[in-house]
Amino acid sequence: MTTAPAHLGLRSAELVDDVVDVSLFDGWQIRLHTLALRDLCPCPECRHPVSGQRLFESARVLPRTRASAVAVSGEGALLLEWEDGHRSFFSPASLLEASAARPAGPTQIRWDSGRGSSLCRHVWDRVSTEESALSEWLRETAVFGFALLRAAPQVAGAVADVAEIFGAVRETNYGRVFDVRVSVDATNLADTALPLSPHTDNPYRRPTPTLQLLHCLSSEAEGGETVLVDGFAAVERLGRDRPDLLALLARTPIRYAYRDGQAQLAADFPIVTLDREGMPTALHLNNRSKGVPAGAPEQVREWYDAYFALLAVVDDPAQQVVFRLEPGDLVLFDNERVLHGRTGFSGAGARHLQGCYADRDGLLSTLAVLER
Amino acid sequence: MTTAPAHLGLRSAELVDDVVDVSLFDGWQIRLHTLALRDLCPCPECRHPVSGQRLFESARVLPRTRASAVAVSGEGALLLEWEDGHRSFFSPASLLEASAARPAGPTQIRWDSGRGSSLCRHVWDRVSTEESALSEWLRETAVFGFALLRAAPQVAGAVADVAEIFGAVRETNYGRVFDVRVSVDATNLADTALPLSPHTDNPYRRPTPTLQLLHCLSSEAEGGETVLVDGFAAVERLGRDRPDLLALLARTPIRYAYRDGQAQLAADFPIVTLDREGMPTALHLNNRSKGVPAGAPEQVREWYDAYFALLAVVDDPAQQVVFRLEPGDLVLFDNERVLHGRTGFSGAGARHLQGCYADRDGLLSTLAVLER
């Protein structure tokens, strides 16, 4: 149904038991309940012509009327007449739209290490001035879960300006912009030169930020390369090998927690959130802030088996894209899909990134408007 | 287990098949798997002493060691010795914390129209200067899903300043602050004096803003009272009467959509999101922006039956708290739990509210820090 050409005209329409059967000229059939059709009536009395917002209360209108007749109008539209005197016209295109469940955003493409050889480096000067360049950068992010940007202004706070080109910054207790400064003489492990395993940020926060931007301001140390993993590809690989372990991860909520002098955050998420069809919709994977599974002690070992099996996929170089962020480089990624980490580094010299969080809604909205 | 007093000492500890059995002096028993205990080791090598963040990779440590001995220390703590030479100490309190699944936030209390007679009106001057007053206002919001505030500054934009006392504003395509201006001579239905049925905002946005603030700047028109409904109480009432209809709503995603010149948003949510225990965790209920259920036409009638049954509960005055916002009044509510609407109004005069969105994470974090 989703691929039916919208220019097809209507051949016939029939009303049987409150269901409208429509035949199109190319053999397509559409069946829609009259309740849905009245609720979707596109006339300017029923729908705001710009926003598409419904202008009547469904509960007051739908139970009090029924379709009394259907017909194909002279222009090839579907005409419904209602017992309360209302009339609804549906073009073939609007009927197809009503009958097909289209995805709410661009279709995702999974990737593995092979993607590292074909990374587009979008350039800030073009992205910030040309709609087509902005659209390409955003579409790549929506489809692959991340995209790179080159030559962003090398000034503190620029990462937020970049985010604002497509949406709003999600400010948190870490501020509007946060610093990731790593120096080799640090005493705190989190600030040392040790590698960080691929993870998602802020799983202890609900709602979790859905996008993250990391902007490199200086990169004098050797090593410290950025590692990205398509977490959904990793989940699907685990699901092929060990569906039982994936199901266990998906049904076991884990307490994530963080506290400092100004904040105290806690949230329960399974490592993997699956939709009704078993497709991954979110990952919350962070070894530093995770709690342990609740339930009988005997089930705990099984959960760790599943957790370590997923980590083994994530840590497999075949799943990882590895690159070095140079000053001015910025990476934008989906924080509930793409895991990020860094390799260890050594030698003298500072490494300074600035980051900020944002959300998918603004990105997808800006992309949809640009692509109209 | 959750009510066990944390001052109880340990009587004995036994290691059987990688499970530690602990007896406390008052007869309490705790059983924990050694994998979880090693993962939870609270020593300063394993955990950051302030943030509690784990300082080792579970996948590198846990599979390579086992507990070799357990004992009760002289101070009444649990001592574990590990084959790799590490030692872990757990106080009775930390053992109880590890074994009990505590809720991630304050326990909610459901309400109906009766709550209208006992509304606290928190006052801005105190909330903005006294920690105890701020804490009370935030706790009431967390427990009941909404709380009122009186005498907030009657200046444009003040609603964002109020939000920032506990967290960050969630900016959207409607801006940092949005206006709800209703005048009786408007031509657009959304701006007329007609009633608005109780709803949640922005169900077409993922992540949906979890908090909303509405601040009254002027209220000269007669009527236009604010209606609030505890959506979770309504869901639970439907679940008692018609569990089949609630289950249908919870398993049927609905496309929500919005578009204007600058934005184009779409998201799929069921009207009711339930957790594994069947308890409501989120409502996405907005007649203006909702699509129709996908699936066979014959199932569509059943879905509308369920939808209208929930609306009948929501529209029942027995579920509703109704009050008038006067200039300076502000209501803060959980946008995924509490439905908001307004009664119709008439007569001349303007009504001007300003609103902004925020999120639960900041509120619950600020509350937790205040209550430490």
Side-chain angles (χ1 to χ4, degrees):
Chain A
M1 195 73 81
T2 52
T3 55
H7 63 268
L8 294 176
L10 302 190
R11 195 161 59 88
S12 66
E14 197 181 2
L15 177 66
V16 182
D17 290 341
D18 290 330
V19 173
V20 177
D21 268 290
V22 177
S23 300
L24 287 89
F25 269 112
D26 208 28
W28 287 89
Q29 296 275 341
I30 296 176
R31 298 180 73 232
L32 286 164
H33 198 283
T34 52
L35 279 168
L37 285 164
R38 181 60 186 258
D39 216 13
L40 290 170
C41 178
C43 85
E45 270 177 51
C46 289
R47 291 283 191 159
H48 191 283
V50 174
S51 70
Q53 301 299 284
R54 187 173 288 102
L55 301 176
F56 63 92
E57 293 289 347
S58 306
R60 297 213 182 92
V61 173
L62 272 53
R64 294 179 192 168
T65 189
R66 293 182 66 172
S68 52
V70 308
V72 177
S73 75
E75 297 78 31
L78 174 69
L79 165 63
L80 288 103
E81 293 185 349
W82 303 91
E83 287 176 352
D84 62 2
H86 196 74
R87 290 157 64 95
S88 302
F89 287 89
F90 288 90
S91 68
S94 65
L95 275 182
L96 285 166
E97 189 173 322
S99 67
R102 290 167 309 138
T107 304
Q108 297 178 356
I109 298 176
R110 306 283 182 251
W111 49 267
D112 59 17
S113 62
R115 179 143 185 84
S117 59
S118 60
L119 292 178
C120 302
R121 292 227 171 204
H122 305 266
V123 180
W124 173 247
D125 274 355
R126 289 196 57 221
V127 163
S128 59
T129 55
E130 298 172 29
E131 287 196 348
S132 62
L134 174 57
S135 172
E136 282 163 20
W137 182 55
L138 299 181
R139 173 158 278 274
E140 189 173 314
T141 307
V143 169
F144 293 96
F146 80 102
L148 299 177
L149 188 65
R150 196 159 53 173
Q154 289 179 50
V155 294
V159 66
D161 301 334
V162 173
E164 286 186 333
I165 202 167
F166 64 78
V169 170
R170 174 93 80 89
E171 191 179 326
T172 70
N173 53 297
Y174 303 117
R176 184 171 162 75
V177 168
F178 54 85
D179 288 284
V180 186
R181 254 182 234 278
V182 186
S183 54
V184 289
D185 57 352
T187 49
N188 183 333
L189 181 73
D191 294 332
T192 65
L194 288 175
L196 282 181
S197 60
H199 61 280
T200 65
D201 268 21
N202 285 18
Y204 41 74
R205 183 186 309 285
R206 185 188 292 270
T208 308
T210 49
L211 293 176
Q212 183 171 171
L213 299 88
L214 284 174
H215 177 211
C216 180
L217 289 175
S218 70
S219 179
E220 295 159 22
E222 279 181 38
E225 291 178 308
T226 296
V227 178
L228 298 183
V229 174
D230 184 348
F232 290 178
V235 164
E236 289 172 4
R237 184 173 144 192
L238 178 65
R240 283 190 297 273
D241 296 345
R242 292 295 304 271
D244 55 323
L245 297 184
L246 176 57
L248 178 60
L249 289 180
R251 71 172 176 259
T252 311
I254 298 293
R255 168 69 46 88
Y256 284 99
Y258 174 86
R259 72 183 275 165
D260 63 21
Q262 286 75 48
Q264 184 169 330
L265 296 150
D268 297 327
F269 285 106
I271 301 275
V272 182
T273 304
L274 302 176
D275 67 13
R276 289 183 177 280
E277 283 74 42
M279 303 294 287
T281 58
L283 276 174
H284 291 86
L285 180 69
N286 189 314
N287 193 66
R288 281 169 289 159
S289 57
K290 81 170 201 306
V292 300
E298 290 74 12
Q299 294 164 357
V300 169
R301 169 163 294 283
E302 200 186 353
W303 184 87
Y304 276 100
D305 286 346
Y307 177 57
F308 293 150
L310 177 60
L311 291 186
V313 177
V314 165
D315 289 337
D316 182 348
Q319 299 294 139
Q320 301 184 335
V321 165
V322 182
F323 54 87
R324 188 177 165 84
L325 287 176
E326 300 292 350
D329 289 353
L330 182 150
V331 57
L332 164 63
F333 57 94
D334 184 325
N335 183 54
E336 288 187 332
R337 172 181 171 187
V338 171
L339 311 172
H340 66 292
R342 69 154 192 258
T343 64
F345 52 98
S346 62
R351 179 171 178 269
H352 183 196
L353 306 183
Q354 279 196 327
C356 76
Y357 299 116
D359 281 303
R360 248 181 251 132
D361 61 332
L363 187 154
L364 294 176
S365 173
T366 301
L367 177 61
V369 170
L370 287 170
E371 292 186 343
R372 270 178 200 167
Chain B
M1 197 73 81
T2 51
T3 55
H7 63 267
L8 292 177
L10 303 190
R11 195 161 59 88
S12 66
E14 197 181 3
L15 177 65
V16 183
D17 291 340
D18 290 328
V19 173
V20 178
D21 268 289
V22 178
S23 300
L24 287 89
F25 268 113
D26 209 27
W28 287 89
Q29 296 275 341
I30 296 175
R31 296 182 72 234
L32 285 164
H33 198 283
T34 52
L35 279 169
L37 284 165
R38 181 62 186 258
D39 217 14
L40 290 171
C41 178
C43 85
E45 271 177 53
C46 289
R47 293 283 192 159
H48 191 283
V50 175
S51 70
Q53 301 299 284
R54 185 173 291 102
L55 300 177
F56 64 91
E57 293 288 350
S58 306
R60 296 213 184 93
V61 173
L62 272 55
R64 295 179 193 168
T65 189
R66 294 182 67 174
S68 51
V70 307
V72 177
S73 76
E75 297 78 32
L78 175 68
L79 164 64
L80 288 102
E81 294 184 352
W82 303 91
E83 288 176 352
D84 63 1
H86 196 73
R87 290 157 64 96
S88 303
F89 286 89
F90 288 90
S91 68
S94 64
L95 275 182
L96 286 166
E97 190 174 322
S99 66
R102 290 165 310 137
T107 304
Q108 297 178 355
I109 298 176
R110 307 283 182 250
W111 48 267
D112 60 17
S113 64
R115 175 137 189 88
S117 60
S118 60
L119 291 179
C120 303
R121 293 227 170 204
H122 305 266
V123 180
W124 173 248
D125 274 355
R126 288 196 56 223
V127 163
S128 58
T129 55
E130 297 172 29
E131 287 197 347
S132 62
L134 174 57
S135 172
E136 282 164 18
W137 182 55
L138 299 182
R139 174 157 279 274
E140 189 173 314
T141 307
V143 169
F144 293 98
F146 80 101
L148 300 177
L149 187 67
R150 195 159 54 173
Q154 288 179 52
V155 293
V159 67
D161 300 333
V162 172
E164 287 186 332
I165 203 167
F166 64 77
V169 170
R170 173 94 81 90
E171 191 178 326
T172 70
N173 53 297
Y174 303 118
R176 186 171 160 77
V177 168
F178 53 85
D179 288 284
V180 186
R181 255 181 233 277
V182 187
S183 55
V184 289
D185 57 353
T187 50
N188 183 332
L189 181 73
D191 294 332
T192 66
L194 288 174
L196 282 182
S197 61
H199 61 279
T200 65
D201 268 21
N202 286 16
Y204 41 74
R205 183 185 310 285
R206 185 189 292 269
T208 307
T210 49
L211 294 176
Q212 183 171 171
L213 297 90
L214 284 174
H215 177 212
C216 180
L217 289 175
S218 70
S219 178
E220 295 158 21
E222 279 183 37
E225 291 177 308
T226 296
V227 178
L228 298 182
V229 174
D230 184 348
F232 289 177
V235 164
E236 289 173 2
R237 184 174 143 192
L238 178 65
R240 283 190 297 274
D241 296 345
R242 292 295 305 269
D244 56 323
L245 297 184
L246 176 58
L248 178 60
L249 289 180
R251 72 171 176 259
T252 312
I254 298 292
R255 167 69 45 89
Y256 284 98
Y258 174 85
R259 73 184 272 166
D260 63 22
Q262 287 75 48
Q264 183 170 330
L265 295 151
D268 297 326
F269 285 107
I271 300 275
V272 182
T273 304
L274 301 176
D275 67 13
R276 288 181 178 281
E277 283 74 43
M279 303 294 287
T281 58
L283 277 173
H284 291 85
L285 180 70
N286 189 314
N287 194 66
R288 282 168 289 159
S289 56
K290 83 170 198 305
V292 300
E298 291 73 10
Q299 295 165 356
V300 169
R301 168 163 296 283
E302 200 185 353
W303 183 85
Y304 276 101
D305 286 346
Y307 178 57
F308 294 149
L310 177 60
L311 291 186
V313 177
V314 165
D315 289 338
D316 182 348
Q319 300 293 141
Q320 301 184 334
V321 166
V322 183
F323 54 88
R324 189 177 165 81
L325 288 176
E326 300 293 351
D329 289 353
L330 182 150
V331 58
L332 164 64
F333 58 93
D334 184 325
N335 183 54
E336 288 187 331
R337 172 181 172 187
V338 171
L339 311 171
H340 67 291
R342 67 152 193 260
T343 63
F345 53 97
S346 61
R351 178 171 177 272
H352 183 194
L353 306 184
Q354 278 195 327
C356 75
Y357 299 116
D359 281 303
R360 247 180 252 131
D361 61 333
L363 187 153
L364 294 176
S365 173
T366 301
L367 177 60
V369 170
L370 288 169
E371 291 185 345
R372 268 178 201 167

